[in-house]
Amino acid sequence: MQLKLLVVGETKEKTMQELINDYALRINYRLPFKIEVVPDAPHRLTGGNEAKVKEWEGEQILQRIGVGEKPILLDEKGKSYTSRALADQLEAKLGSSIKCWTWIVGGAYGFSEAVYKAVPERISLSKLTFTHQMVRLIAVEQMYRAITIIYHLPYHHD
């Protein structure tokens, strides 16, 4: 099984990207992992209109979810997990027919209704609000932490 982080827009902070890359390498040591970037909505098509931006980004997100993938939205209204419970979720998926567990980070305005309808499963990384750039780092760190829990690696401490 593969892990994928699907994000809208490039990571702009160089130091944030370096940290994300470090965790991506760590994840790849145990499981195939990739980050796929949906381009920011072009202003010429959306005029910066929030609804049009969400619609355009939503179409791009849905086009990138393949057959055999299990998508999940990172959403503030999603279910909260402990790191151990999240590891249990990953371990269950490892033993299933799922080809790829895809975590999706939306754009600045969130997800379109079409994305919410197509992807009903959601998790919340915190009740706090983070920048979309920070969510990427937190997501890959939690993926890595789940892997270390499953494989009994010295990283997570209860």
Side-chain angles (χ1 to χ4, degrees):
M1 188 186 84
Q2 179 181 46
L3 292 174
K4 180 167 91 173
L5 184 65
L6 180 58
V7 300
V8 175
E10 296 289 336
T11 303
K12 293 168 181 57
E13 297 286 333
K14 181 182 174 191
T15 53
M16 192 77 66
Q17 187 60 56
E18 289 170 357
L19 291 167
I20 290 167
N21 291 344
D22 180 57
Y23 280 108
L25 287 172
R26 294 180 194 197
I27 293 167
N28 260 315
Y29 184 73
R30 294 285 175 171
L31 291 173
F33 174 72
K34 72 176 183 175
I35 297 174
E36 191 169 336
V37 179
V38 170
D40 287 315
H43 190 74
R44 64 181 167 65
L45 296 178
T46 64
N49 176 281
E50 181 178 331
K52 288 181 181 179
V53 168
K54 285 182 2 180
E55 181 182 340
W56 189 89
E57 291 172 351
E59 289 170 2
Q60 299 301 309
I61 288 169
L62 293 175
Q63 288 175 12
R64 286 167 173 80
I65 299 171
V67 175
E69 288 187 43
K70 177 68 174 163
I72 188 165
L73 303 180
L74 300 185
D75 187 85
E76 63 188 7
K77 296 178 185 117
K79 183 176 179 181
S80 294
Y81 289 93
T82 65
S83 293
R84 282 218 174 263
L86 192 61
D88 290 343
Q89 290 290 313
L90 174 57
E91 192 167 28
K93 285 166 181 50
L94 287 172
S96 73
S97 62
I98 294 169
K99 187 169 82 175
C100 182
W101 195 21
T102 303
W103 291 22
I104 305 170
V105 179
Y109 299 121
F111 298 108
S112 67
E113 282 306 311
V115 172
Y116 279 122
K117 287 178 184 171
V119 185
E121 191 174 354
R122 301 172 194 151
I123 62 172
S124 171
L125 296 176
S126 174
K127 291 184 187 277
L128 300 172
T129 302
F130 299 111
T131 67
H132 285 71
Q133 307 289 304
M134 292 175 71
V135 167
R136 299 161 192 219
L137 176 59
I138 294 166
V140 294
E141 191 279 337
Q142 285 301 302
M143 287 178 176
Y144 177 69
R145 183 175 297 274
I147 289 168
T148 65
I149 291 169
I150 292 167
Y151 292 100
H152 308 289
L153 301 173
Y155 182 80
H156 178 76
H157 305 284
D158 285 317

